[in-house]
Each structure stands twice: as structure tokens, then as C-alpha cells.
Amino acid sequence: MSGGAATTIGIGHRTIENPVRSMRALTLIGDRKIELLDIAAPAAPGTGEVQIAIKAIGLNHLDVWGWRGMAFAKRKLPLVVGVEAAGEIHAVGPGVTVFAVGDRVVAYGGLTCGACKACREGRDNLCENVAGIMGFHGDGFARDFLNMPARLVIPMPAGVSFRDAACAPVAFATVQHMLFDNARLEPGETILVQAGGSGIGTVAIKMAKAIGCTVITTVGDDEKAAKAKAIGADHVINYRTERFEGVVRKLTGKKGVDVAFEHVGPDTFNGSLLCLKRGGRLVTCGSTSGQSTTINLFQLYLQQYRIFGSFGASIRNVRDSLAKMASGLLPVIDTEVALADFERGLARLESRQVFGKIVVTF
Ligand SMILES: [Zn+2]
């Protein structure tokens, strides 16, 4: 750790200037080129802001896309990576009363306006004036310190670790939003979770089981199948050796599932639709196997499918995710890597060898 940020602290009528002005930051400088750089530490937080000392970041496919240079959005390099994080309040700006130095927090990485209709109604991820996603469009969380508007900072409940909380803003909250705001998953329903060994797949299995659903999931090898069973999946299908559509029909007595949880894309999307019962819901938040597919429109309306596109989450979803962690629904951690090994973590994520989340600790 190269020290604290350039914070000005007033003690009585004396002012002490913290002399350390640089900090570590994992910085994307070109395609597949991330370096640990020393950059300027932030100034003291401004009005309405807090300064967070980052303790852990969760890796996501969003990081892999950015790293590969497959960005679907405009951005400028160099860019500090990291889309979700947990840390500790290091300094508090003028006007901030809800946080104190030492509070443990997570940050919401969508730079929303806080004022539009969507923001006012708590649908933060539909903000009409969003300035981008931290770590993707602009600088992210993989640095020792950063200043954030206090309204985008969420307190961590007691008993939750930084490592686990770092998975709340994206992995947990995305799934919370998909399952409960979009697909409106109900207790007792049957759900198909595609790629159950992925970061969000493992969260979906655990959240669905927690409310008493029957969970069918797909994985790519037998080792992952055993792990998916161990975290609660009722039925696990190895999609490399079995046709999952056929197995799901059989498992559900030809009825199909109520909800399909998608994020794989063209490789599985049509199969997931075929697995739905009439009036079933498909919710998707990603497309790791490609961008486009064709769907059968006759099937769509005759079977009365409902398809939800889902991206990100609201601040409420992050709070709900942290509350679930506090009550014992914890993320499945594949690997914890040190800051300097960030790229090894990304390569592991891209190789799809993971089971659960990869977390980088500071
Ligand atoms: Zn807004």
C-alpha cells in the first residue's frame, strides 16, 4: 500500500496536509494490457462526497469485455478498471452526515443523475441522464482511493466481509433485479439457470433455492455439476454430454419451467425459450457467446412467452443483496487474488473454468 490520499484534515485551527499524493491503480492502457500504475491520489472529497479506501473488488464479464477491447461503448484510455467494490470511508466531504470515517460501504457504479423520473422512482439503472458505468465507460474502482457522491454509497451490514460485499453491487444486485423485479420469480416455481457455475449463475441458484424454488441448471463439466449440487441445485445438466432442452422437458413432465435465467446468448437462447412452459418468462442480462440470434415469432406469441432484457440494478437491489448476505446467503467465491494478479483473475474468468466469483483484494 503506497499510503493515504491527499486529504486535508483540520484539527482545531491547524491544518495537516497528508503528504502522500500517489496511489496504486489498475489501469487499462490498451487491449489486453493492464498495468498497476501509481497515479495521483484524489483531493479531499467535495461537498456531498465521501472518499472510499477500496478493500476488495469483484471481477465480472464486464471487465473481460473491457479488457478484450470488445467494448460496445465509447471510452477513453487509460482507464482504471473494476466495476464493483467494497471499502471503508476514509474521509467525508462537507454536507455529508450519513457516513463517518471507518464506515464499511459498497458503491453503486452507475453515474446516475439522481434527479430524473427514473432516479426519483428508484429505478436507478433506467436513469435518463446516466453518465456511464464506472470501470467500463470511465474510471472504476481498482485503486486505493476514490471520491464518490454519498448518495451512490451503501452501508454494509455488520458481519459481512469486504470480500463478500464486493460481490453485491453487480453480481448479487443484477440477479436480484433479474429474478425479482423482472421475472417476478415466486416461491415454488421451477427455474432453469444457464451456466450455473458462473458468478451470477451461482447467485441465481442460491437466491432461487432460498425462496423454495426447484432449480435446474446447466454446467460444462462433471466437477462443476457436483459443485452446483452442493450449493443447492436440484437437477444439474452437463450441456456438453446431454441436450439440455430434452432433459428439462423430461424433468418437468413435458410442462417446461416457469422462468429461464439467461446470460449465455446465441448458444443457448433458443433452447432456453423451448424449455419454458406456456406463459413462461425468460430474463437475460448477457450474451457471452455472441451478439445475435434468430427467434421463432410464432412460438413467441403462441406460447405467450415474456422476455425481459435486464442490465444492472437499482440501489435498492444492492441494499437487498447486502441484507441477504447478512442473513447468510453468501457468494460462492472461486478465487481470491491479490491486486497484482488481477490479469490472472481475468484470464481465469474468460476461460470459463470458474465456479463462482473471483475477488481481488487490496
Ligand atoms: Zn437519473
Side-chain angles (χ1 to χ4, degrees):
M1 167 92 59
S2 62
T7 313
T8 304
I9 309 157
I11 299 176
H13 44 266
R14 282 190 311 140
T15 297
I16 298 165
E17 182 78 16
N18 183 333
V20 180
R21 290 182 172 276
S22 75
M23 64 173 180
R24 301 170 306 169
L26 277 171
T27 311
L28 182 69
I29 55 173
D31 287 353
R32 289 188 177 273
K33 206 159 167 43
I34 292 178
E35 286 186 359
L36 187 56
L37 300 182
D38 266 334
I39 65 168
T47 301
E49 287 186 337
V50 292
Q51 187 167 98
I52 303 173
I54 298 297
K55 301 293 184 189
I57 61 171
L59 293 190
N60 288 278
H61 271 281
L62 213 49
D63 295 299
V64 175
W65 288 333
W67 182 53
R68 277 180 188 161
M70 278 175 60
F72 44 70
K74 284 184 195 156
R75 63 208 181 122
K76 265 202 259 179
L77 300 183
L79 177 136
V80 178
V81 300
V83 295
E84 64 176 342
E88 204 171 80
I89 300 285
H90 186 253
V92 175
V96 176
T97 54
V98 288
F99 292 109
V101 171
D103 284 355
R104 294 158 6 108
V105 296
V106 302
Y108 183 81
L111 295 171
T112 60
C113 75
C116 72
K117 186 167 188 288
C119 280
R120 290 197 314 271
E121 292 174 358
R123 294 176 295 119
D124 311 270
N125 52 331
L126 288 170
C127 171
E128 293 162 23
N129 312 303
V130 66
I133 295 166
M134 292 176 67
F136 193 64
H137 302 102
D139 286 336
F141 294 102
R143 44 182 153 163
D144 285 317
F145 300 96
L146 81 166
N147 293 343
M148 288 283 295
R151 69 179 173 83
L152 299 178
V153 176
I154 302 132
M156 281 168 56
V160 177
S161 68
F162 286 124
R163 182 195 75 176
D164 291 345
C167 305
V170 175
F172 259 57
T174 296
V175 176
Q176 175 75 21
H177 187 56
M178 290 171 78
L179 294 184
F180 303 110
D181 294 343
N182 285 321
R184 297 188 179 271
L185 184 68
E186 296 282 342
E189 288 191 315
T190 300
I191 180 171
L192 169 66
V193 176
Q194 292 287 12
S198 62
I200 57 169
T202 53
V203 178
I205 291 170
K206 292 186 85 167
M207 283 191 180
K209 282 309 295 177
I211 64 160
C213 290
T214 299
V215 177
I216 304 171
T217 192
T218 61
V219 293
D221 64 58
D222 291 341
E223 195 186 326
K224 283 187 190 176
K227 289 178 177 173
K229 279 246 171 189
I231 63 165
D234 298 283
H235 307 282
V236 185
I237 304 165
N238 182 337
Y239 64 81
R240 292 188 202 278
T241 56
E242 289 180 293
R243 214 177 139 264
F244 71 84
E245 301 92 321
V247 181
V248 170
R249 301 308 289 183
K250 207 177 287 172
L251 286 171
T252 56
K254 292 188 183 165
K255 278 206 294 230
V257 298
D258 299 285
V259 170
F261 177 92
E262 252 294 339
H263 52 116
V264 176
D267 286 358
T268 55
F269 195 89
N270 275 292
S272 293
L273 278 180
L274 273 175
C275 289
L276 291 178
K277 64 169 59 161
R278 239 161 39 124
R281 296 96 77 195
L282 181 149
V283 62
T284 181
C285 75
S287 193
T288 47
S289 64
Q291 261 185 14
S292 304
T293 189
T294 55
I295 63 170
N296 182 329
L297 296 175
F298 282 11
Q299 184 196 355
L300 173 67
Y301 65 77
L302 289 172
Q303 296 299 318
Q304 302 175 56
Y305 293 151
R306 282 166 286 172
I307 300 177
F308 299 89
S310 198
F311 188 68
S314 67
I315 291 174
R316 174 179 48 81
N317 294 140
V318 181
R319 285 184 202 280
D320 291 347
S321 297
L322 288 166
K324 284 186 176 182
M325 288 182 186
S327 70
L329 200 166
L330 297 175
V332 177
I333 304 295
D334 174 88
T335 326
E336 216 175 314
V337 295
L339 184 57
D341 293 329
F342 183 88
E343 280 195 295
R344 189 165 65 82
L346 279 185
R348 185 171 167 81
L349 185 59
E350 190 185 28
S351 75
R352 294 204 188 174
Q353 294 308 302
V354 289
F355 190 86
K357 289 287 290 181
I358 299 176
V359 175
V360 180
T361 49
F362 277 60

